[in-house]
Amino acid sequence: MPEGSVWRMRGTGMLVLLGVTVLLAALRGGVLLHTHSLNSLDGALQTWFALDHFARGEQLGTAFQSYLGITMVLALVPVFVLAGKTLFASTLAAYVMVLAAAVATAWACVWLIRPVPPRARWKAAVVLLFLFYYAGALCGQAIGLAWPATLDPGVSLRPLRGALAFFVLPVFVVLVRRVRLEGKAVAGGFPLGLVAGIGLLWSNDSGIPLVIATTGALVLALWDHPARLAWALPAFALGVLASASAILLALTRAAPSPWLAYNFRDVAGDQFWFFAPWERSTRILGVTDLPAILGHADPLSALSMVLLAACIAFAAVQRLRRRNAPVRASAFMLVGASVLGTALVPQIGGHVGAEYNGIVFVLGVCAPLIVAPTALWRRARPVLRRIGPREAATLTGLAALAMIATEAARFAAAYSGSERTVHDADLGFRVTPAYARDLAAMRRLAAAWDAQGVPQDRRLLSVYTSPLDIAAGARSPADVGSLIHALGPTKRAAFNALVAGKEVAAVTTIAPDYSGWEGWLTRASWPFFRALHENYTPIARNDQQVLWVRARGTRTPPAPATCRVAALAQGQIVLDIAAADAGLATVSITRRPPYATGRGAMLTVLEDSPDTEPAERERWADFPHYGIANVPALELMAPVAPRQTTRLTLETLDGSPIGAASCSAVVESAIDVTALPPLPEGIDRYLAGGAM
């Protein structure tokens, strides 16, 4: 076949693949419009928070912090802006990019499997996309087996974080080929470094593994050309430094220190103890703990991780023995090592979780085919010859139609069966009539704030950013957006000060009967909630949120309670708290050195109280454990009841010395939010009372 015809076929195939992708994205967008969760605990709100600030051109690190990363969020901006810069736009942008990541992953796997003819790669990519992201998910659901491959962005865009290397792969292949064929080491290494530098800022857990993996892949590709490698590596490093520095300095307006401190000191230091679960087996303290990652993984993810690691090692040895194609083998090393690193970094730096391992699944399953020796493919040739152009076209068509039909069926069901009949322009979503009334009530409250000249960044502080913030026209008073991202002592103190000093007009919290995670967050961030109870009063609620406003008058001072150290061991302190009245006790603990401060000395609390007695309501994961900061002075919450002792057991993770301690306690009445009026009624009463 003439070369021009081959290129035309490839171009047509890529257009078909692009068309299928766009159609899938459009259909899924229709589904999202009618059904996507408006739960403020959902990751869509933290994505919107970062996107909204980036789209406004605000100063990173000072005006806001982007917990999800930098360039990954910037990649969502075009769709976000084109779709209207709403919450729906950010949700759609996240899905479109995750779908693009799935297509890039499928294409990369097909390209790495050498026997697939170039003109058939787009067809194989369509089939692979169907098998991994549609058929496989249905089969896994049918047999009750967790299926790791997903098109759902999740709470923190994990699939997109794991796909970084697949976006970089084409650039790596083109530039490394240039170095090997033309000897232009600097001309290849420097632009590769520029791209890797952009990737370095993708997200905290994927950027560094990408740069390390790209460096290793570059060495493997050029080790047999030492002179070229000697020029390519420093050029690559210079490119990484140039692009990463330029982006960071531009976005932070030449003041990168606050962003660097937050990401590499505060987040890195606190996420280890702050987030669930807190069992010893979920923390990596040394090399011997690494098998726990496989132990906590679902079966398919664990198998794919083992397969991928083994195939990477095999490919590296074969490359050093000159037994495989240098560019293709080093490209596999790039994506394989990068994906594995992205899965491992958050589990080593934070907690072990099966949710991180799914990003290796597709590549891990394909890895044996990628590294399979040529002799093995020769033996399989008689079978492969049965799949001719006609059969390949049929399979591709069926796969594409099945994916489109699946999304079309989801859209039809969402459109016809949804209770969301009202379109909210500010959110971009369709909402239920009841939720539309909640949003309208928040807009009435916002109008009152407008009349009083309350600045947008002093209106509403939300424990979790929610659609209510958007309806109220509020700009977050905190640069981190949500309480769970107020990591590090400085950020926590700043967040707490907003309620301690009554600096905001209102606050929203999660309703205790909506999510069991409210119980965890209240305990893990008790100084904030204690200040909230002292200075604000709840006036209304909906199914998710409780709305608080500044309290008037003087609060009843807390009553005395007792706290004593009931037991003390090397790695454990047991506190007994009692009070004459029911309520929430504030337990102040002063620790005395010496006590351990390393990772193994991570502090956890085990609570035994009236609130931990068996109940039907949902609880947080690892209930009744939670983590706390390993600091000299602690302030904890303890539910108490008459004639009953509440016990708090503080322990270090590895049994290292916890030190001696003394404690005191006071108790205040618990605030019952279950009987509050609905948002519209409560807000209207508040406005009618002239309390503003």
Side-chain angles (χ1 to χ4, degrees):
M1 182 178 292
E3 185 176 349
S5 299
V6 172
W7 281 106
R8 280 194 296 275
M9 289 179 62
R10 292 186 188 179
T12 302
M14 293 301 293
L15 287 175
V16 172
L17 181 59
L18 177 61
V20 170
T21 304
V22 170
L23 187 53
L24 293 176
L27 289 169
R28 181 58 69 93
V31 175
L32 297 173
L33 181 67
H34 293 85
T35 65
H36 191 272
S37 171
L38 295 178
N39 179 356
S40 60
L41 276 69
D42 185 85
L45 272 302
Q46 66 176 333
T47 304
W48 171 83
F49 175 82
L51 273 172
D52 184 60
H53 283 281
F54 273 126
R56 292 172 184 268
E58 296 182 358
Q59 184 179 0
L60 176 66
T62 302
F64 75 105
Q65 298 288 356
S66 179
Y67 178 79
L68 293 173
I70 297 180
T71 51
M72 179 177 68
V73 180
L74 289 176
L76 307 181
V77 169
V79 175
F80 176 67
V81 173
L82 289 173
K85 296 191 287 189
T86 61
L87 180 59
F88 168 74
S90 71
T91 305
L92 178 64
Y95 173 77
V96 168
M97 280 302 296
V98 169
L99 179 60
V103 173
T105 301
W107 179 267
C109 291
V110 168
W111 182 85
L112 289 167
I113 301 173
R114 190 169 188 175
V116 179
R119 62 181 179 274
R121 285 173 184 157
W122 73 271
K123 299 176 184 177
V126 171
V127 173
L128 213 61
L129 190 69
F130 167 70
L131 291 176
F132 277 108
Y133 296 96
Y134 287 86
L138 290 174
C139 292
Q141 184 178 1
I143 63 177
L145 187 64
W147 188 260
T150 180
L151 294 176
D152 185 351
V155 297
S156 54
L157 304 179
R158 286 191 194 97
L160 193 53
R161 283 150 58 185
L164 172 61
F166 298 106
F167 293 129
V168 174
L169 178 64
V171 178
F172 176 86
V173 170
V174 169
L175 294 177
V176 170
R177 277 179 174 167
R178 176 184 297 178
V179 176
R180 287 191 64 85
L181 295 176
E182 302 175 16
K184 298 179 179 180
V186 174
F190 183 72
L192 180 60
L194 291 176
V195 174
I198 296 171
L200 180 62
L201 301 177
W202 189 257
S203 70
N204 287 355
D205 54 2
S206 62
I208 294 174
L210 173 80
V211 172
I212 295 173
T214 307
T215 304
L218 198 58
V219 171
L220 276 177
L222 301 176
W223 73 269
D224 49 353
H225 295 279
R228 297 177 188 178
L229 180 61
W231 283 100
L233 282 178
F236 171 76
L238 184 61
V240 171
L241 181 63
S243 61
S245 299
I247 293 170
L248 190 57
L249 290 174
L251 294 176
T252 63
R253 300 177 189 175
S257 296
W259 180 84
L260 292 170
Y262 176 70
N263 277 270
F264 297 102
R265 182 193 64 195
D266 299 337
V267 174
D270 278 16
Q271 67 180 358
F272 183 71
W273 61 263
F274 188 66
F275 294 110
W278 297 276
E279 299 102 331
R280 171 64 182 86
S281 64
T282 64
R283 295 301 187 275
I284 305 298
L285 301 182
V287 176
T288 56
D289 293 331
L290 290 175
I293 294 176
L294 293 178
H296 282 267
D298 60 83
L300 292 178
S301 291
L303 176 62
S304 61
M305 292 183 77
V306 172
L307 283 174
L308 183 56
C311 290
I312 289 173
F314 177 76
V317 172
Q318 292 293 87
R319 173 70 194 107
L320 294 175
R321 297 174 63 192
R322 304 174 192 261
R323 296 289 184 87
N324 50 22
V327 175
R328 198 177 301 270
S330 57
F332 173 60
M333 296 295 297
L334 163 65
V335 293
S338 178
V339 167
L340 265 181
T342 303
L344 294 176
V345 164
Q347 298 186 81
I348 294 173
H351 65 86
V352 174
E355 64 272 16
Y356 297 107
N357 301 318
I359 62 175
V360 310
F361 177 62
V362 176
L363 184 62
V365 171
C366 294
L369 299 177
I370 294 170
V371 302
T374 305
L376 188 61
W377 285 114
R378 287 198 194 100
R379 294 182 181 181
R381 192 173 296 168
V383 177
L384 297 177
R385 281 176 178 170
R386 297 179 182 178
I387 307 176
R390 181 177 299 176
E391 290 78 9
T394 300
L395 287 173
T396 304
L398 290 174
L401 287 174
M403 290 188 290
I404 293 169
T406 299
E407 295 294 350
R410 288 173 178 165
F411 172 69
Y415 182 79
S416 62
S418 176
E419 296 179 354
R420 299 183 180 184
T421 57
V422 180
H423 182 266
D424 187 90
D426 291 337
L427 301 186
F429 280 108
R430 295 181 71 84
V431 300
T432 64
Y435 201 66
R437 290 192 289 272
D438 289 346
L439 298 174
M442 291 302 297
R443 292 186 177 105
R444 291 195 295 274
L445 185 58
W449 286 331
D450 284 337
Q452 291 193 338
V454 179
Q456 287 183 312
D457 64 351
R458 284 298 179 267
R459 294 183 174 185
L460 186 61
L461 177 68
S462 290
V463 167
Y464 280 90
T465 304
S466 82
L468 301 184
D469 297 74
I470 300 173
R475 308 288 299 158
S476 176
D479 61 355
V480 293
S482 299
L483 180 55
I484 62 167
H485 296 150
L487 300 174
T490 302
K491 294 297 182 190
R492 279 195 297 278
F495 208 98
N496 296 350
L498 292 170
V499 291
K502 294 187 176 182
E503 295 183 27
V504 291
V507 178
T508 64
T509 60
I510 300 300
D513 52 359
Y514 179 73
S515 172
W517 287 100
E518 183 275 341
W520 158 72
L521 189 59
T522 298
R523 288 163 171 81
S525 306
W526 179 241
F528 170 83
F529 285 95
R530 178 187 54 75
L532 177 69
H533 292 176
E534 289 177 355
N535 297 294
Y536 290 78
T537 186
I539 62 166
R541 61 165 294 171
N542 60 11
D543 63 334
Q544 292 187 43
Q545 280 89 23
V546 176
L547 177 65
W548 305 64
V549 297
R550 292 188 185 106
R552 292 180 296 173
T554 303
R555 285 277 191 179
T556 302
T562 63
C563 178
R564 69 182 186 90
V565 178
L568 177 64
Q570 174 169 298
Q572 184 184 86
I573 298 174
V574 179
L575 305 178
D576 283 349
I577 303 98
D581 300 313
L584 301 178
T586 295
V587 182
S588 300
I589 305 167
T590 302
R591 301 170 65 201
R592 295 189 297 275
Y595 53 83
T597 57
R599 283 165 62 96
M602 183 187 94
L603 282 183
T604 62
V605 178
L606 174 64
E607 178 184 317
D608 181 10
S609 74
D611 194 48
T612 60
E613 294 175 353
E616 294 182 358
R617 63 191 178 101
E618 177 194 2
R619 297 293 193 164
W620 69 89
D622 205 15
F623 168 84
H625 278 96
Y626 59 96
I628 55 174
N630 188 350
V631 293
L634 296 166
E635 193 173 86
L636 305 180
M637 184 266 272
V640 292
R643 297 177 299 278
Q644 186 171 345
T645 298
T646 291
R647 172 161 287 188
L648 301 181
T649 302
L650 283 65
E651 296 178 308
T652 54
L653 192 66
D654 62 356
S656 54
I658 196 171
S662 59
C663 66
S664 61
V666 293
V667 63
E668 59 185 46
S669 299
I671 299 175
D672 182 13
V673 299
T674 58
L676 289 172
L679 272 181
E681 181 183 341
I683 289 175
D684 288 343
R685 285 184 190 174
Y686 175 67
L687 295 176
M692 305 267 302

